[in-house]
Amino acid sequence: MEIKTKVFLRKGAQHRVENGHPWIFQSELDYIEGEFEPGDIVDVFNSRQRFIGRGYINPRSQIIIRILSRQQEPINREFFKRRIETAWRYRQTFLSEPEYCRLVYGEADFLPALIVDKFGKYIVIQTLALGIDVHKETIISVLEELFSPEGIYERNDVPVRKLEGLDMRKGYLRGDFPTQIIVNENGIPFYADVDKGQKTGFFYDQRENRRFLEQIVKNAEVLDCFCHTGSFAVHSALYGAKSLHSIDISEEAIGLAKKNAELNGVSERCNFEVANAFDALRSLTEEHRQYDVVILDPPAFTKSRNSIEGAARGYKEINLRGLKLTRPGGFLVTCSCSYHIDRDLFKAIVVDAARDAKRVIREVEYRTQAKDHPILPAAPETNYLKFLVLQVVE
């Protein structure tokens, strides 16, 4: 496969991408040789004209090139098949239930901007950049060959596609099936709504962290804020929690959480409430309520560096109140999926909250995302989830 377009990076701009990061920004380019159309495959060279990688280009995006390969190899159906087969082998190696997993996690599986979630016999796909979207039919063909799914659904109703000049869309790509399906996590069944749910319909990234709860929730009174569809609550109940008070602002999410509790026979111990978690935490604090375990798993408070300060205030507020609501000897489980709030900053925010809450804490565990969301050390953007478990000593 001969690539006619060559992209040269300016001097001093190549170090990050040469170290393994898959993104090249507009500001890092020196010049381009040859004609191209947005979405085309181009070869990238450093300022010394040494080959760096092969990727797709879109001048409309600030991330103008995303690297697909470090080799001068054809980007064709066989390429995508090899990449997806490699991703599947990785999941089979590390997951106990690989039929239910994030099968392709974009850059970390060397297929930038491609998300593929496997829900047993169904697959949900996102193509979040122009350069991967042009290969969508090829990718679907490979998925059909490798997995023979009964249905494939696209969740391309994501605003980030607009930055790539793409429209937002969702719907069936193959087959016709009920969009509310059952998935398994840690051997526990859950309803997932691949049409109306957030992202692709289910969050696999906390799988191993939810299993960790078994060590701390037995006979516990648990407060679960930002509970979404009840995964932490149901895990806690099945692991022996005495009672669950779960809060989320979404009526649809709470409706599905109740169904998940019923599905697992734990409804009698689960109280699900539609409320703003910030307001609920404030009210519960004013009522001097206490719990053995408090779980905080909010959505991302920031999507950019410009709003880190405001996000930090939000994290401090919920953690301060969460710490006040935790009985001495109990545990705060606090999470952040905001990439721009890094691990050190997140821990510093929680330590600051503990000081203001006049709580003495000790760290039990500091974890990250599940293994089907692998991390590239050269691309810190792939390492986004923080799962911090603290004991409130006094």
Side-chain angles (χ1 to χ4, degrees), residues 77 83 122 189 197 212 216 267 273 284 300 382 393:
R77 190 180 189 280
R83 282 281 194 262
Y122 305 113
F212 177 84
I216 60 173
S267 295
E273 177 187 357
L284 291 168
T382 61
V393 179

Side-chain angles (χ1 to χ4, degrees), residues 245-263:
H245 181 187
S246 299
I247 298 164
D248 199 275
I249 199 168
S250 165
E251 285 191 34
E252 281 189 351
I254 288 292
L256 208 52
K258 289 177 179 178
K259 286 188 68 171
N260 282 327
E262 290 167 10
L263 181 65

Side-chain angles (χ1 to χ4, degrees), residues 270-295:
C270 295
N271 170 34
F272 292 103
E273 177 187 357
V274 178
N276 181 306
F278 280 87
D279 296 339
L281 284 164
R282 190 178 302 112
S283 297
L284 291 168
T285 306
E286 289 167 357
E287 294 167 16
H288 303 289
R289 292 287 299 275
Q290 294 274 274
Y291 299 87
D292 301 301
V293 177
V294 174
I295 301 169

Side-chain angles (χ1 to χ4, degrees), residues 173-330:
L173 295 173
R174 297 289 189 275
D176 185 0
F177 55 93
T179 54
Q180 199 169 103
I181 60 178
I182 291 180
V183 304
N184 284 313
E185 183 180 62
N186 299 318
I188 301 169
F190 290 94
Y191 287 104
D193 192 330
V194 302
D195 176 57
K196 296 183 177 139
Q198 291 184 31
K199 302 290 178 73
T200 62
F202 194 80
F203 293 106
Y204 285 126
D205 56 358
Q206 293 271 29
R207 173 194 283 109
E208 292 152 28
N209 299 332
R210 291 187 183 115
R211 194 159 60 233
F212 177 84
L213 293 177
E214 188 172 12
Q215 301 176 60
I216 60 173
V217 297
K218 191 169 179 59
N219 297 319
E221 292 179 288
V222 179
L223 174 65
D224 177 17
C225 290
F226 311 95
C227 71
H228 192 41
T229 57
S231 296
F232 276 116
V234 170
H235 274 81
S236 297
L238 291 173
Y239 291 155
K242 187 192 302 181
S243 65
L244 282 301
H245 181 187
S246 299
I247 298 164
D248 199 275
I249 199 168
S250 165
E251 285 191 34
E252 281 189 351
I254 288 292
L256 208 52
K258 289 177 179 178
K259 286 188 68 171
N260 282 327
E262 290 167 10
L263 181 65
N264 286 281
V266 295
S267 295
E268 72 284 353
R269 281 179 284 149
C270 295
N271 170 34
F272 292 103
E273 177 187 357
V274 178
N276 181 306
F278 280 87
D279 296 339
L281 284 164
R282 190 178 302 112
S283 297
L284 291 168
T285 306
E286 289 167 357
E287 294 167 16
H288 303 289
R289 292 287 299 275
Q290 294 274 274
Y291 299 87
D292 301 301
V293 177
V294 174
I295 301 169
L296 305 173
D297 185 24
F301 286 171
T302 176
K303 303 277 187 175
S304 73
R305 296 185 190 280
N306 299 331
S307 54
I308 287 178
E309 191 175 330
R313 285 195 299 271
Y315 284 118
K316 182 176 178 182
E317 180 181 343
I318 63 171
N319 281 283
L320 187 149
R321 297 191 185 281
L323 287 160
K324 285 185 175 181
L325 289 165
T326 306
R327 289 190 179 102

Side-chain angles (χ1 to χ4, degrees), residues 101-210:
C101 72
R102 173 144 294 181
L103 174 60
V104 176
Y105 176 45
E107 282 74 356
D109 283 303
F110 313 104
L111 289 170
L114 175 65
I115 300 296
V116 181
D117 278 355
K118 196 172 189 314
F119 296 121
K121 56 192 178 182
Y122 305 113
I123 285 174
V124 180
I125 184 173
Q126 293 180 306
T127 48
L128 303 177
L130 173 63
I132 203 73
D133 193 71
V134 298
H135 299 284
K136 185 168 71 174
E137 282 302 319
T138 299
I139 291 163
I140 291 167
S141 165
V142 169
L143 293 170
E144 287 183 304
E145 178 188 342
L146 295 178
F147 303 104
S148 302
E150 292 186 13
I152 301 177
Y153 202 82
E154 75 172 316
R155 282 298 303 271
N156 278 327
D157 52 337
V158 187
V160 71
R161 279 173 55 96
K162 292 182 179 179
L163 302 175
E164 294 278 326
L166 296 166
D167 62 349
M168 296 202 299
R169 59 174 65 188
K170 66 177 179 177
Y172 298 100
L173 295 173
R174 297 289 189 275
D176 185 0
F177 55 93
T179 54
Q180 199 169 103
I181 60 178
I182 291 180
V183 304
N184 284 313
E185 183 180 62
N186 299 318
I188 301 169
F190 290 94
Y191 287 104
D193 192 330
V194 302
D195 176 57
K196 296 183 177 139
Q198 291 184 31
K199 302 290 178 73
T200 62
F202 194 80
F203 293 106
Y204 285 126
D205 56 358
Q206 293 271 29
R207 173 194 283 109
E208 292 152 28
N209 299 332
R210 291 187 183 115

Side-chain angles (χ1 to χ4, degrees), residues 11 44 55 98 120 129 174 176 322 334 350 381:
K11 189 174 181 180
V44 180
R174 297 289 189 275
D176 185 0
T334 181
V350 177
E381 293 84 356

